[in-house]
Amino acid sequence: MAQDWPLWEVFVRSRGGLSHRHVGSVHAPDPEIALRHARDTYTRRMEGISLWVVPSAQIVASDPADDAAMFDPAADKVYRHPTFYSIPDDVTHI
Amino acid sequence: MYTTELSKTTNVASTEDPDKLAAFEARVAADEFIEPKDWMPEAYRRTLTRQISQHAHSEIVGMLPEGNWITRAPSLRRKAILLAKVQDEAGHGLYLYSAAETLGTSREQMIEALHSGKAKYSTIFNYPTLTWADIGAIGWLVDGAAIMNQVPLQRTSYGPYARAMVRVCKEESFHQRQGYEIMMAMCAGTADQKRMAQDALNRWWWPSLMMFGPPDADSPNTAQSMRWRIKRETNDELRQKFVDITVPQAAALGLSIPDPALRWNEAKGGHDYGDVDWEEFYAVVRGEGPVAKERIKARRDAWEEGAWVRDAAAAYAAKRNRKAEAA
Ligand SMILES: [Fe+2]
Ligand SMILES: [Fe+2]
């Protein structure tokens, strides 16, 4: 039996002004067929106006085991949020 | 249930790291989603792979009983609707295969398991579609039962499975409504048409109840699956809900459900219903369904007859890659 075709990740822009969003994946031998399969699989009901397909092998992902090292340092930097600063009530437009 | 083998033992091996296992159980208990690269116990991975791939196979094999009527749909409107429904089922199969692949089993392995008869799919698709009314009954009852099963799975613990279920559920509701509409048309038609509708209900009622799987007492792994949020309601709970919502729908059609024991039970606030023939269910699970052999043969033939298309596409891709490298 032949090998599975390569896997592609599918991204759909649902309407103008919005980003493409990941919706799933398809197997396909080449980019054109990947687009056609993505169209048939993920946009049968006007879900989008634009499609991206990206070879899954090209995606670099962070490792869940490193979550703490990657994302926790942000947790104690509350001064990055506007609510960290208290300004008197009678000072407005700030 | 679209999966029939959940009663297989899921022994959580004592070889798992107890700290990791405890952390995993806590995440699931807190209704967090587990994603493909997260640590998970082997038994969770195995059970989910079996459940999702069986679900995928059910969608794919489920195209066959209805596909049987596409060329003979009674009008262009009905034909367009049936084509769209069957195409949706192909899509459902693909979403689910993709979700199962994230657990480490390849598409090829799953297809091979289906074609060799090793993998199971829902027993319901091993019954024949004898008349056009069967297409109505399938949409109404079979898709109805599938919705009942799939809605709670939108909150299942495995992220890719839950997301696939959200898409599936969005698409499923038209399937049930178009089926019910076919039944309405037949019940408002000639006496013969109404008889066909009643005959279809008679044949599909019990197999539809079997779709939820064996009674809770005979589903030893339900507790484990519920704890892991792979399953969110028991077989009997879902079956009861299905009976309770379907009874008035049958009444609205003027059809009678083929169960003399069926009656409203005020005390429990639900219907009592007769015993399901579980012998028949287990026989179909074992592969003795009326058209089980035909179904697998149809899948294998489709796979083999499409081989030249896949080969041509692969050869074209290889040629392109060679040219790209040379350039
Ligand atoms: Fe479906
Ligand atoms: Fe459906």
Side-chain angles (χ1 to χ4, degrees):
Chain A
M1 189 187 266
Q3 280 285 305
D4 275 335
W5 284 338
L7 197 63
W8 305 71
E9 298 304 319
V10 180
F11 300 80
V12 175
R13 184 203 294 284
S14 56
R15 48 191 169 80
L18 296 181
S19 311
H20 284 75
R21 203 164 73 96
H22 183 244
V23 291
S25 49
V26 292
H27 285 280
D30 64 49
E32 284 79 24
I33 296 184
L35 267 181
R36 278 163 194 256
H37 282 179
R39 188 266 242 150
D40 288 345
T41 310
Y42 294 103
T43 60
R44 290 195 301 282
R45 286 179 175 75
M46 300 179 292
E47 285 93 338
I49 54 159
S50 163
L51 270 174
W52 287 352
V53 290
V54 180
S56 307
Q58 297 294 316
I59 290 185
V60 181
S62 63
D63 185 339
D66 300 337
D67 275 2
M70 289 281 275
F71 306 112
D72 283 0
D76 60 2
K77 295 181 177 60
V78 283
Y79 46 82
R80 284 182 170 151
H81 297 275
T83 47
F84 178 74
Y85 306 91
S86 50
I87 305 286
D89 283 350
D90 54 353
V91 179
T92 56
H93 302 298
I94 184 163
Chain B
M1 199 81 181
Y2 264 19
T3 50
T4 53
E5 276 192 318
L6 284 181
S7 50
K8 281 210 171 150
T9 32
T10 50
N11 224 340
V12 188
S14 49
T15 50
E16 300 285 10
D17 178 335
D19 291 342
K20 284 183 173 166
L21 188 60
F24 172 86
E25 299 268 1
R27 286 186 64 194
V28 171
D31 274 333
E32 277 184 40
F33 288 103
I34 305 301
E35 294 296 339
K37 291 184 146 191
D38 294 347
W39 185 89
M40 62 187 84
E42 259 328 291
Y44 176 85
R45 186 185 298 276
R46 226 176 22 244
T47 307
L48 258 181
T49 302
R50 190 165 60 225
Q51 178 171 334
I52 302 173
S53 62
Q54 283 185 12
H55 196 157
H57 297 326
S58 298
E59 302 285 352
I60 297 298
V61 177
M63 291 192 279
L64 296 169
E66 292 177 296
N68 179 37
W69 281 90
I70 289 174
T71 56
R72 291 172 289 157
S75 68
L76 187 56
R77 176 179 183 272
R78 293 287 181 204
K79 185 184 289 204
I81 291 170
L82 187 56
L83 265 172
K85 179 189 190 286
V86 171
Q87 192 191 15
D88 273 357
E89 306 301 3
H92 298 175
L94 297 179
Y95 310 152
L96 286 157
Y97 281 132
S98 293
E101 284 171 73
T102 62
L103 291 160
T105 304
S106 72
R107 178 82 55 104
E108 185 191 335
Q109 286 171 309
M110 289 186 274
I111 304 270
E112 164 62 23
L114 174 66
H115 291 179
S116 71
K118 212 177 109 217
K120 304 283 179 201
Y121 53 87
S122 177
T123 51
I124 195 79
F125 302 118
N126 285 329
Y127 291 87
T129 39
L130 304 177
T131 75
W132 172 252
D134 290 21
I135 301 307
I138 287 181
W140 172 33
L141 301 171
V142 175
D143 288 85
I147 290 170
M148 191 63 73
N149 168 46
Q150 289 167 161
V151 164
L153 289 177
Q154 293 178 98
R155 294 177 297 115
T156 193
S157 60
Y158 189 57
Y161 192 25
R163 291 191 285 277
M165 283 298 100
V166 169
R167 296 191 71 85
V168 166
C169 287
K170 255 189 221 152
E171 300 180 355
E172 207 64 73
S173 128
F174 118 70
H175 297 181
Q176 192 186 19
R177 291 171 70 102
Q178 64 85 36
Y180 194 77
E181 194 198 59
I182 291 174
M183 295 303 267
M184 282 176 11
M186 299 200 78
C187 290
T190 64
D192 272 348
Q193 286 171 325
K194 185 155 188 190
R195 257 197 302 279
M196 276 169 70
Q198 180 65 55
D199 167 64
L201 171 57
N202 292 349
R203 283 180 292 106
W204 291 94
W205 175 253
W206 293 105
S208 297
L209 294 193
M210 292 176 197
M211 283 176 70
F212 297 97
D216 294 349
D218 299 323
S219 313
N221 292 300
T222 292
Q224 173 69 77
S225 289
M226 302 263 288
R227 209 174 72 235
W228 276 345
R229 311 284 203 264
I230 289 173
K231 196 168 175 171
R232 310 248 17 181
E233 286 175 77
T234 74
N235 297 351
D236 286 335
E237 284 165 4
L238 291 167
R239 190 164 18 244
Q240 181 69 51
K241 271 195 189 172
F242 177 75
V243 170
D244 291 337
I245 64 157
T246 309
V247 167
Q249 293 169 352
L253 290 169
L255 297 178
S256 47
I257 287 176
D259 178 1
L262 185 77
R263 59 181 55 83
W264 177 253
N265 179 333
E266 189 63 52
K268 81 168 180 187
H271 293 82
D272 290 330
Y273 55 93
D275 292 330
V276 177
D277 181 357
W278 293 112
E279 276 316 303
E280 175 180 324
F281 171 78
Y282 288 114
V284 181
V285 170
R286 285 194 304 270
E288 295 161 27
V291 290
K293 291 204 175 64
E294 258 178 82
R295 296 289 186 243
I296 287 302
K297 184 179 182 306
R299 284 310 317 153
R300 277 206 213 108
D301 289 351
W303 181 256
E304 280 156 23
E305 284 161 20
W308 70 272
V309 180
R310 295 192 300 277
D311 290 346
Y316 178 69
K319 187 172 92 180
R320 266 174 72 115
N321 290 342
R322 270 198 311 276
K323 275 191 182 162
E325 274 162 29

